[in-house]
Amino acid sequence: MPPVVRRLPAYEPPVGGPPRIPLPRPRPVWVPVPEPPYPALDAARLLSVVLEVLDGRRPARLLREIAVPALAARLSGSVRARTTRMVRPPRVCHPSRLVAEMSVTLRREGRVLAAAGRAENAGGRWWFTSFTVLE
């Protein structure tokens, strides 16, 4: 069977028509920066409380006041007598207004380790939802 040749519809723009004027772009809308939640996050205090509980220098019941129940139960199972110190102040990143992700380097038993945690503001308080010491 021989090939069939079909005519294509016209696809070139018409010549000599009125020029098309582009529409102006919309102006950007100014959005105010939202107010930070109250109370302000004190990352160094929160991290030091968790580290002192893990070292056995504070009672494990304090974790129930700053961590969600599942995390408090998991962390209270890993309490050991040791000495941990923060090497530098923690670094804090806010992915959203009510969430903070923190990381800190620490010295424990002659080694330098890293710890990372995530805190969320709920009910007017900052709660740890995740905490890990990277060994």
Side-chain angles (χ1 to χ4, degrees):
M1 184 172 201
V4 177
V5 178
R6 296 185 200 141
R7 181 172 293 282
L8 291 174
Y11 59 91
E12 293 291 327
V15 177
R20 184 169 176 255
I21 300 173
L23 297 174
R25 290 185 179 179
R27 298 184 134 224
V29 178
W30 181 77
V31 178
V33 177
E35 300 244 347
Y38 181 82
L41 173 69
D42 187 1
R45 186 189 66 79
L46 278 176
L47 288 167
S48 65
V49 168
V50 172
L51 294 173
E52 288 172 3
V53 168
L54 292 177
D55 289 349
R57 292 182 282 163
R58 285 191 180 215
R61 63 179 165 74
L62 288 178
L63 289 175
R64 289 180 282 176
E65 298 175 9
I66 62 169
V68 294
L71 179 64
R74 181 177 65 85
L75 290 176
S76 62
S78 61
V79 173
R80 283 187 16 212
R82 55 191 164 205
T83 303
T84 302
R85 291 180 324 168
M86 282 193 261
V87 177
R88 293 193 175 114
R91 295 183 181 262
V92 181
C93 168
H94 288 276
S96 76
R97 191 170 80 81
L98 298 175
V99 176
E101 293 177 348
M102 299 164 271
S103 64
V104 67
T105 55
L106 47 103
R107 183 176 299 276
R108 176 187 286 170
E109 299 169 351
R111 296 175 58 201
V112 176
L113 307 170
R118 179 182 174 100
E120 297 179 10
N121 190 303
R125 295 184 64 181
W126 287 97
W127 297 91
F128 268 111
T129 56
S130 174
F131 185 83
T132 305
V133 177
L134 306 169
E135 297 192 39

